[in-house]
Every structure is written in C-alpha cells, then in structure tokens.
Amino acid sequence: MFSQLVMLGSSGMLLTALIVLWRKHVPAYISAYRLQVWLLAGVTATVGYFASDWRLFAVAFVLVVLKAIAIPALLRTMLRRFGAQPEVRPYVNTETSLLIAGLLVLFAYVLARPWMAVTDLPTRDALPIAMGLLFVSLFVIVSRRKAITQVIGFLMLENAIALLAAVGTYGVPLLVELGVFLDALMGFLVMQIFVYQIHETFDTIDVEQLTRLRH
Amino acid sequence: MTVDRSAAFLFMIAGYVAGAIVALIAPSDRIARGATAIGAASGSVAGLVTALAVLATGDRFELVRPDMIAVAGGVAIQLDSLGALFLALVCSVGLFAAVYGFTYTADYDGRRSLRFFGLMFNAFLLGMSLVPCAANVFTFLFAWELMAVASYFLVMTEHESSDARAAGLWYAAMTHFGFVLLLPMFLIMAPAAGATAFVDLRAGASALPPAARSTVFALALAAFGSKAGVVPLHVWLPRAHPAAPSHVSALMSGVMIKLGVYGLLRVTSDFLGTGPAWWGGLVLAVGSLSALGGVLYALTENDLKRLLAYSSVENVGVIFLGIGAALVLQSYGLPALAMVGFGAALLHTVNHACFKTLLFLAAGNVLRGARTRNMEQMGGLIKGMPVTAMAFLIGSAAAAALPPLNGFASEWMVFQALLSGAQIAKPEVAIGSPLAVGVLALTSGLAAATFVKAFGISFLAMPRSDAAAAAREPHWSAWTALGAFAAATVVLGLFAPSAIAAMYRIVESVTATPRNVTGGGGIWLLSAHGVAAVSPLLIAVLVASVAFVAFASIRARGFDVRVADTWGCGRIRQTARMEYTSSAFAEPLRRIFSELYRPTEDFSVSVHPEARLIIRSITYTTRIVPWIEKALYEPVTRGARAIAASVRRLQAGSVHLYLLYIAAALMAALASAWWFE
C-alpha cells in the first residue's frame, strides 16, 4: 500500500513534467507545476505517515503554502507583466522532446540500478522515477527558449530533488529542508529579477537574445 | 649604538602596510599620494636601519613565528649580511623612489586610481623587502609572489595603452614561469616532508646525489635568471620597465631584478656550496650572452626607457659573469680567487642599483618635461633641465664604466676575477676565460657608445620638437633622489676599495671561506694577489688637477674670449633636422652587427606628379628584428593561442549550451558510479 501510493504520486509528478514538453502555453505550465507540488506534498505526507515522522507533515505543509500557492501566484504576476508569450519554436520539437524524455527516464532506470540493489526501503521503486524527473526537468531548461519556461524547469528540478530526498532517505533533517526552501525561494526571486531585466533590455524573454552579450 | 632590530623590522612592515591601507582609503588623490609616499618612506627608513644594524655587527637577526599560518610551515625571518645588503638596496631605492613618486604621480591626479596605485606600490616594497629576509620556503615564496603580483599591477598603471597591456602579459607569463621552477627546486632540496626552513634545505642539499644537485642548480639558474632578466629570458624586461611609471621602473630595474641575483647566490653559494665546474661555465655563458645581447639592443634603441632597460640586461650579464667566474674558481679549489668574483658581482649589483635608479629617475624627469620617450624628438634638454642633465650625465658615465665612477670599479673587479681563470690549467677554462674577458671588454666599449648616444641625442644640440624646447625642470623634491644617487655613484666609485672590502666580508660570512684576499690597500683597488692595482681616488685627483691647471692657466694668461657664430659650412640657417639622429648614430654598428639585428629597411621617395625630378619627400624606415626572441617565443605563443582558440569554442555565448554542459556533467558524474560497483 505504502509503496504503491508513493509510486502513484511519483509517476504523477513525472507526467506533470512531461506536460511542459507538449503544451505550448505558459498558463498550462503553471497549473502543471502546481499539480506537481500537490503530488509532492502528498508523497511527502505519505512517507511521513508510514514512517511515523511528524516532521514530514510539516514539510508537506510548507510545500503547499510556498510552492503550491505563493510561487504560482508570483508566476501569474510575471505572466500578466509579459502577456502570454507561447513557447513557439523550442530548440527541440514536441515529438523529439517526448522521445528524448523517454530515453532519459530509461537512462535513469539504468543509473539507479546499483543504488536500488543496496537499499531495501519500501519506497525504492520510486528512486529511478525521481531521477528521471530530475533529468526531464534539466532537459526542459536546456531545450526551451523562453525564460519563464526555464524558471518552471528549475522549479521542477527542485521538486525532483525534494522527491529524491523523501523517497531515498525519508526526508533530510528539518533544518536542511528549511534551508532548501529558502534557497529555492531566493533562487526563484533572483530569477524573477533576471527575467524582468531581460525583458526590459531585449523587449522579449527569449533567452537566445543573450547570445548577443558575448562581445 | 644598539638598535632594537626586531622593533625596526616590525616598524618597516607596519610602515608599508599603513601606507598601503591609508592610501587605499584616502579621501582625495593628493592625500593618497602623500600616504603612499610617507608609508613607503617610513617603512624604507626602518628597513634600512634593520639592514645596517645587521651589516654593522655581522650577526644574524631572527624572528620565527611558527604559529602564524602554521599549515604552510609558519613565518620565518632571518636576516644575515647577504640578505641585509639586498634589504639595504631595496630600502634605499624605495625611500627615494617614494619621495620622487609623490610629485611624479601628481600627473595621474584624477586620471587614474592613485589609491590602488598606493596600495600596490607599498605592497611591492613590502614584498621586495621580505624576499631577502625570508628563512623558509613559505615566507620566501609568499614575498616573491607579493613582489611579482604588485609589480604586475604597477606595470599596468597606464593600462589603456596596448603596449602596457602586452608588457603586463609578458611579465606575468615570465614571472610565473620562474615561480613554477622555484617550487620543484625547493622541494628537491627539502630533506623531509615539512622541513622547509632554509636551515633544513642547507642540510638537505649537502646530502643530495650530484645529479639532483645539478638539477637544483639548473632550476635556480632558470627561475632566478628569469627574474634577473638574463638573455634569453629577458623578453619581459624591455617591455615592462618602460611601461611602468619611472620611479617604479627604477625600483624594478634597480632592485627587483637584483633579487634574482640574490636568489641565485643564496641557492648556489649558500645552500649548494661548491659544485662542478660546468655550473660556473653555464653562468658565464649566460652572463656573456646577456651582457653582449643587452648592450647591442640598447645601442639601437630609440626609446629612452627601453634603452635603459636593455642596459639593465647588460649589467645583470656583467654580474653573472662575476658569479660565473667565482663558481668556476671555487670548483677548482681556489676560494680566495672566487671571493674576488663574488665580491665583484655584489659590488656591481650595488653600483648598478645606484646608477640605474639615477638614470631612470632622470629619464622620468625627461618624460615629464618632453612628454615623450622617443629620443628622436628630444634634444637640447640640457638648457631647460640642467640638473636632470647633470644627473643623467653622471649616471651615463657610470654606466659606461668611466673611472672614477662606481661602474668602473666593479667592472674592473669582474675583469680581475675573469683573468684569474689563467690560474687553472684546463683547456676549457683556458679558452672560456679569455672569451669572457673579450665579451666584457666589447660590452664595456659598446656601453660607452650607447650612453654617449643616450646623453648626446637627448640632452645636447637643438630641440627636435616643441615639447623638448619647452621642457623645464620638475618640482625640486625630484632632485633629492637624483642628488642622493648621484652622490652615491660618485662616492662608491671613489671609495671602491672600502666598498669591495665590505663585500668580501659579506661573501665570507655566507660561503664560510677564510678571507685571505685584501680588499684594498687604502686607496688601491687590488686584484686577488695584488698583481694589478688601480686607484679611482687618484684618478679623480689627477683628472681634477689637470682640469684645474688648465683652467687656472687659461685664466692666468688671460685668453681673450670672442663670442661669435660657429662656422656653418655656408648654411644660412641651422635647424634640428640637420642634427645627428639617434638611428644615424647607431647605424655603423648596426651594419657591423647586421647578422644579429637583421634590419628591415623600407625606402620610399615621393616625387612631384608633373616633374619626376622634383622630390617631395623621402621616407626611410628601418627596424631591427629580434630574431632570437622570435625563434624562441613565437612557437610558444602560437601554441598557447591555438589552445586558447580551441578552448574558446566552448564559450559560445548561448545560455542553453552552458546549461547543457551542466546537465551533461551531472549525468557523467552519476554514470561514473558504475565504475565503483
């Protein structure tokens, strides 16, 4: 029951990341992200319930407040500022993107094999999925042009790491967790400032324009 | 008189540090300049007191703090008389350079960061002062790098000129080349891990097998030779010295390159002791190359400061000739004769520091007055700047080794050391030693020609540009430095016998050989066995009395003086364009040594379009090709460029590509876990 619930949540998180690869509109990304955070909070709470660790409930609560409510709200503000700029021409088209994402998940399974051999946690089946989510988020950052898409990719990368921590070691000490939250929030705010600056300078949030900065 | 030497030493450090910090936080440029000068001057005075106290008593001064930066072996200071001599040099040049710099850098007010300059100037002096005091590897390397880094920034003071930037790059590359060789040199000598005090190295070096000793020697020669600027490692010197502000050039040329000599002496004659004869032979060869190469390039140079820089290469060559002769003599078991070589090298080190500082500071005055370094645009400066001209003349005469000035005394002693090679009945010495004597003789002659040109073209005849005609003396405070070094040049020349005796005492304390050479009998400068003797003081008296008699007899007989124009060969008007130019002066020698210079010549005549016989202008351009430099360094720079260009392709400017690098690196790191399965 425990491992099935965790698998369900993790797979859902991976699916929400794949949404970013085939949808083109930023509002869809934001809802995908919010959904992913809810799922992450669910997985964390499940682990907390079965491992009877009250601290994971606290983490799940902070996750919901910070990442499912505050950050999506900030993202919407950004969206209002720039208008809906769809991800028109990503570096890699949708079909290839999905193919690559599949390969990355496969690669994650291969990578996680030695790791899975040495643990006997009930959650260990979710480990390759968490790593796959990590790779897919990285791929989103690398292959998309709009700064806002990249920010969402980064946020999903954060989620992947949080998921890895929850299923791999039943969460890290609360202090570290809080540090990570603060880190993520600060990182997000800095990126927000950058996106505003890029928009102001180049009148677009297409990151490719930054190539012009070299000399 | 007793001096608390550790208090003086700490005051020296405090002076430099305070100068650096106050200059950095100064509210105005003027205060920054003042703080720079006061900090550097007070630090230098304290350092000079420390050095003189050690030199006077001859016993060492020690200050060991193993708890400071204990990871690297702690800070260890030990000042023996050899170190004290170099510390005294650094501090005396530093003192006057600081005074001179106060008005010299006024030109930079508002245009350049004088705060940063003050920080670096004091850091440079601190580094140079600590090098001869260091008594373990960490302290030495720290001081060495502080000196190198600070002087790099000083060279880059006028960083908007591409020449200065290129000079900085060359300097940085060469100084790091030297540093890279220093590390293995020290490591080979260290007898055990962690034993990095110089005492341990001395013990370790004596236990080394001969091959390792020779490796240490070769590394020391290359590492310290690159700092001293010997051919072929001299490339940075004629670039960096002219680019720096003049008082910094004086410090670099007068003292910093001498610390290379210090390092070489410390490692060879102190740590390693007597070695095989080829060590000395190699040093002689390097010295001959530098002496001859330096003076030949100086001769054709039209840039006043570059000329002086090349002359420094020459003089370092002369110093190396003395050291080389000493090493050869030492290896054949003639310590008394070797003493003459070491003493002559040390004396020339001191003497060159005096007259080269004098020349660079005078050149700084010229630069301020005439606003150019190109001698072809100077001329007639003696009218506007008589004091500077006089100082430059004294410096030039010393550099040309004219008696009774100090350059003469030490070069004569180097000659004596080289001639002692005749005492060794070996074919290689019998060939090598006269060759070295010949090289030194040729060098002295060419140096005389070089400085006749430098003084004559710059200061005599008619001004070749409006700026040269308008040149005036700078603020009087610039004269104190000139006066001090001119006096030192003269005094060290007249009383050279006492000076060489002092050098012998220092050599004796380092090499621990008994002193059985007499430094000089009163006023006589003697060779090792007293075969040859010369007295600079008597020469001076002779010259002075001849001049006095001539002058007095003219006055007594009352020649009537008629003031009129010189006969102008029928020319109506004399212009500066009719004057002997700097290039023309060097032309005959350029032809003789054309194989070395390989001059490129470009001759173009532009004629009137209607009548071909009417010539509008003739342009003649010639430049010399430093082919040795090209042959040695071009492959290296080309290789470095090729590597840099291929690495640069990684930096494409695309954020996505950079993110891809990160992702790829992460995946590679994760995949590497397979290996540890």
Side-chain angles (χ1 to χ4, degrees), chain B residues 120-134:
Chain B
M120 285 304 159
F121 186 76
N122 277 289
F124 182 42
L125 282 174
L126 179 63
M128 286 203 297
S129 304
L130 287 181
V131 165
C133 304

Side-chain angles (χ1 to χ4, degrees), chain B residues 333-466:
Chain B
L334 298 166
L337 295 177
M339 176 86 83
V340 177
F342 283 130
L346 280 185
L347 187 60
H348 198 67
T349 304
V350 174
N351 290 344
H352 178 245
C354 287
F355 67 71
K356 192 46 63 72
T357 307
L358 177 62
L359 285 170
F360 262 116
L361 296 184
N365 284 354
V366 169
L367 190 59
R368 263 194 283 184
R371 298 268 151 222
T372 175
R373 299 200 311 242
N374 186 356
M375 292 197 288
E376 305 282 29
Q377 292 173 11
M378 296 176 189
L381 294 176
I382 196 169
K383 298 177 191 86
M385 344 178 61
V387 179
T388 304
M390 192 62 207
F392 198 91
L393 181 61
I394 293 175
S396 299
L402 290 186
L405 297 171
N406 64 0
F408 164 74
S410 43
E411 280 199 27
W412 190 82
M413 291 307 295
V414 173
F415 264 117
Q416 295 310 319
L418 290 174
L419 288 171
S420 320
Q423 309 252 344
I424 302 165
K426 288 270 171 162
E428 58 269 26
V429 182
I431 296 169
S433 142
L435 261 181
V437 171
V439 165
L440 185 54
L442 181 58
T443 304
S444 315
L446 291 173
T450 304
F451 280 96
V452 166
K453 167 179 132 165
F455 181 77
I457 302 291
S458 313
F459 288 95
L460 302 183
M462 293 167 71
R464 293 180 181 81
S465 66
D466 294 340

Side-chain angles (χ1 to χ4, degrees), chain A residues 91 104 107 110-111 114 131 134-135 138 141-145 150 207-208 210-212 214-215, chain B residues 648-649 651-660 662-663 666-668 670-674 677:
Chain A
Y91 281 111
L104 284 172
F107 180 63
V110 177
L111 269 186
M131 273 169 97
L134 194 139
F135 291 152
L138 266 176
I141 302 177
V142 172
S143 64
R144 274 11 186 200
R145 281 170 195 266
Q150 292 186 314
V207 176
E208 204 186 30
L210 290 182
T211 316
R212 287 182 8 212
R214 183 167 171 260
H215 300 280
Chain B
R648 206 159 175 278
R649 243 172 267 149
Q651 189 213 5
S654 156
V655 177
H656 291 94
L657 198 59
Y658 299 160
L659 288 167
L660 189 61
I662 297 174
L666 175 70
M667 287 189 186
L670 286 173
S672 72
W674 283 332
E677 241 180 298

Side-chain angles (χ1 to χ4, degrees), chain B residues 4 35 62 181 374 448 642 664:
Chain B
D4 186 351
E62 272 188 87
L181 298 183
N374 186 356

Side-chain angles (χ1 to χ4, degrees), chain B residues 5 25 162 184 237 252 265 279 402 454 471 501 534 563-564 575 606 613 676:
Chain B
R5 293 179 301 179
I25 57 173
S162 63
L237 209 143
M252 291 179 79
L265 280 176
W279 291 8
L402 290 186
V534 68
V563 179
T575 70
S606 94
L613 289 178
F676 304 112

Side-chain angles (χ1 to χ4, degrees), chain B residues 76 97 116 156 220 333 340 352 370 404 458 475 485 492 519 551 562 581 627:
Chain B
F116 186 68
M156 296 284 274
V340 177
H352 178 245
S458 313
H475 189 253
F485 285 104
L492 278 172
F551 183 71
R562 190 164 56 95
T581 62
W627 62 271

